[in-house]
Amino acid sequence: MNIIEYFELVFTDYTLRTITLGTAVLGAICGMLGSFAVLRKQALLGDAISHAALPGIAVAFLITGAKDTNTLLLGALVSGLLGTFWIRGIIKNTHLKTDTALGLILSLFFGFGMLLLTFIQKQPNANQAGLDKYLFGQAATLVESDVLLMAVVTGVALFILLLFWKEFKIMLFDADYTKTLGFNTKFIDALITFFIVLAIVLGLQTVGVVLMSAMLLAPAAAARQWTNKLSTMIFIAAIFGAFSGVFGTAISASQNNLSTGPVIVLVASVFVLISFIFSPGRGLLFKQLRFRQNRRDLQLQKTLQFMYDVVKTHKDISHPHAIRILNNFQGFTKKSLQQLEEKEWITLSGQEWSLTQEGFIKAENLYNQPLPND
């Protein structure tokens, strides 16, 4: 089955439709909430929370003895929130920095989770098979109820986002100013963190513990390259996330032996790569083009200044001495003369040149405004 056949079957095949909708909704909510993690410079928080959720899944299974998805995700949510609470406690009550606290909790919880999974796999209970899918994800296990749960959480998150939009926005860019306005910064911060944890937990079944942080951050990082406006960034990140889910699922379904989660993350990474290169404001390509254009403009301005000096200091600019001075100038080339003429700063007549009135005014302004490398 190729990708075209896949999209033709999406509307008729229940399994494909469910998986596609699930990954699209997951990508949208991850992009939307991941924007806050990126702008708050908490990129590693998603990695720490996703790994901290693993022991919660194992403990939930040990208590219930069943692989009910909702129960396991509830255990993951509790474990993820506990890990977040510990991270904040370490940062607040010790001299350790944020990255150290994140690394400690990530390693501790993930190690404990792997220990519990090993213990469970050695039990005689045959029901433990399949728990390892939460490590790397298994989108094929999504059912309609899972997609409905993702859609409900996305709707609630969007409602809360719109309800507290002003508070979130101020808190994001100036926490101290938020306090002076009388807002409860602890509540706002906890609310944002809770929904980030919730989005991560919802994605564990599809993408897995190991790759979930990339799903959270990649769409937001790509969207950040295209805009400076928060609302626009959230919208673009949601679109990138949804398209990553859809196309990643399509590629995985059209090829044999390709896991859906890693392919989704790779597609999201392609969006990041394209954004880093081709975005007009911050893209590497346009940065290089602007750099070359600025360098050319600077060269023309230097040439114009030098020609202005020649005119001011020599009564006859056609005198061999004046011509030799101009020819020895590093920025003087036939191409630069043609470009100066195109800008109507000089006029050319054979081998002779003269400054136009506009060229005089431009040169005088350049003396009043120093060049960038001065």
Side-chain angles (χ1 to χ4, degrees):
M1 179 175 62
N2 55 41
I3 295 181
I4 297 176
E5 292 174 345
Y6 171 85
F7 283 111
E8 291 176 350
L9 291 173
V10 162
F11 299 99
T12 57
D13 188 277
Y14 168 81
T15 302
L16 292 181
R17 183 172 64 251
T18 302
I19 296 173
T20 303
L21 285 175
T23 53
V25 174
L26 174 65
I29 188 174
C30 285
M32 184 172 64
L33 297 175
S35 300
F36 290 94
V38 170
L39 293 176
R40 295 171 75 194
K41 299 180 181 179
Q42 293 180 335
L44 284 177
L45 180 63
D47 202 23
I49 293 173
S50 61
H51 285 74
L54 183 60
I57 295 172
V59 171
F61 175 79
L62 287 173
I63 294 175
T64 62
K67 290 189 298 182
D68 179 64
T69 301
N70 293 333
T71 303
L72 297 180
L73 292 183
L74 180 61
L77 178 62
V78 173
S79 182
L81 291 173
L82 181 62
T84 305
F85 177 77
W86 280 20
I87 290 171
R88 295 185 179 279
I90 292 174
I91 296 172
K92 183 178 179 180
N93 300 314
T94 68
H95 295 290
L96 297 178
K97 294 185 178 180
T98 303
D99 57 343
T100 306
L102 290 171
L104 285 173
I105 296 302
L106 185 153
S107 303
L108 175 62
F109 275 69
F110 187 67
F112 183 52
M114 291 300 296
L115 179 64
L116 290 178
L117 284 182
T118 304
F119 173 76
I120 291 171
Q121 289 174 354
K122 292 183 179 180
Q123 297 302 305
N125 183 8
N127 200 31
Q128 84 274 16
L131 282 179
D132 57 344
K133 72 180 182 182
Y134 289 97
L135 286 175
F136 301 102
Q138 192 173 349
T141 60
L142 287 175
V143 294
E144 192 171 336
S145 59
D146 298 328
V147 178
L148 181 61
L149 177 62
M150 290 180 187
V152 170
V153 172
T154 303
V156 173
L158 184 59
F159 174 76
I160 296 297
L161 181 63
L162 295 175
L163 185 63
F164 293 96
W165 176 255
K166 180 176 65 176
E167 290 84 352
F168 285 160
K169 192 173 183 179
I170 299 174
M171 176 75 177
L172 195 61
F173 296 106
D174 197 337
D176 293 331
Y177 181 58
T178 310
K179 292 181 181 179
T180 61
L181 294 177
F183 294 121
N184 189 338
T185 56
K186 290 184 179 180
F187 171 76
I188 298 172
D189 183 62
L191 197 60
I192 296 175
T193 304
F194 172 77
F195 277 102
I196 291 176
V197 174
L198 193 57
I200 291 172
V201 169
L202 287 176
L204 294 180
Q205 184 179 359
T206 306
V207 181
V209 167
V210 177
L211 298 174
M212 188 56 216
S213 61
M215 189 64 192
L216 184 74
L217 301 174
R224 183 67 183 92
Q225 304 303 309
W226 296 92
T227 181
N228 290 321
K229 191 175 181 181
L230 177 61
S231 57
T232 306
M233 176 183 172
I234 292 175
F235 176 76
I236 295 175
I239 295 297
F240 281 166
F243 273 94
S244 298
V246 171
F247 285 107
T249 304
I251 295 172
S252 174
S254 61
Q255 303 294 327
N256 294 326
N257 301 320
L258 284 182
S259 299
T260 305
V263 176
I264 292 175
V265 171
L266 287 176
V267 173
S269 301
V270 171
F271 280 111
V272 175
L273 181 62
I274 292 174
S275 300
F276 281 173
I277 296 175
F278 296 106
S279 61
R282 297 183 174 86
L284 297 177
L285 175 62
F286 285 92
K287 275 186 177 180
Q288 187 64 25
L289 291 176
R290 284 194 297 271
F291 172 76
R292 292 190 176 187
Q293 182 61 47
N294 292 337
R295 187 169 60 181
R296 285 195 295 266
D297 290 343
L298 180 60
Q299 190 67 32
L300 288 180
Q301 291 174 10
K302 285 184 174 180
T303 303
L304 182 64
Q305 279 186 328
F306 193 83
M307 296 171 79
Y308 178 82
D309 288 337
V310 172
V311 172
K312 285 293 186 180
T313 56
H314 295 79
K315 293 181 179 181
D316 182 12
I317 61 173
S318 63
H319 190 278
H321 174 66
I323 294 175
R324 186 168 58 254
I325 293 175
L326 187 59
N327 288 337
N328 290 335
F329 178 57
Q330 188 176 5
F332 178 73
T333 62
K334 290 183 178 180
K335 185 176 180 180
S336 64
L337 285 181
Q338 293 173 355
Q339 292 173 339
L340 288 170
E341 187 179 29
E342 290 174 0
K343 292 180 176 290
E344 298 183 351
W345 290 347
I346 68 170
T347 57
L348 292 176
S349 178
Q351 299 295 325
E352 298 182 355
W353 58 267
S354 61
L355 290 177
T356 64
Q357 185 65 28
E358 185 178 349
F360 267 105
I361 296 173
K362 179 65 178 178
E364 289 175 348
N365 291 336
L366 289 175
Y367 275 98
N368 296 328
Q369 183 178 1
L371 293 173
N373 66 338
D374 289 347

